Amino acid sequence: QRRLVESGGGLVQPGGSLRLSCTASESIFNIYSMGWYRQVPGKQRELVAGINNRGGTDYADSVRGRFFISKDNAENTVALQMNSLKPEDTAVYYCYMLLHGDYTTYWGQGTQVTVSS
């Protein structure tokens, strides 16, 4: 069974930093891309950052320059370093995974990030 296990998140003051991690129970050779979406109540889930099997990255305009995504192929893990956090970054963050030859998007359980003073 394909699983994504997330860690990190929590409460942080504006300007602070948090780090999210996501580990896939899937061979790295099967993974096309991984990354993070986020969602707030009443709005659609939006892409935050993604990284593909070649190391190419993609970021939402709202986080570019503040958030940085990286991967550890040996551990089948991606990490999202979030710096200079703003109240508008408050959301549930979901890890996602896309596999080669599979059109299903696999999701983690979600982790809450709250930016508030």
Side-chain angles (χ1 to χ4, degrees), residues 4 6-7 9 20-22 32-40 43-51 58-60 62-63 67 69 78-80 82 88-98 103-113:
L4 295 170
E6 302 163 351
S7 61
L20 305 181
S21 293
C22 177
Y32 173 70
S33 70
M34 290 180 68
W36 300 86
Y37 276 69
R38 66 186 180 188
Q39 189 170 25
V40 297
K43 292 188 176 182
Q44 286 190 332
R45 198 170 291 190
E46 63 171 359
L47 175 69
V48 177
I51 186 166
D58 190 22
Y59 294 95
S62 59
V63 307
F67 291 13
I69 191 169
V78 293
L80 184 68
M82 305 185 293
E88 51 263 44
D89 295 318
T90 296
V92 178
Y93 284 68
Y94 295 91
C95 179
Y96 77 90
M97 175 176 67
L98 296 174
Y103 295 103
T104 303
T105 301
Y106 297 91
W107 297 99
Q109 76 278 10
T111 185
Q112 177 70 45
V113 171

Side-chain angles (χ1 to χ4, degrees), residues 49-65:
I51 186 166
N52 64 30
N53 59 331
R54 298 181 179 181
T57 58
D58 190 22
Y59 294 95
D61 289 342
S62 59
V63 307
R64 188 172 289 111

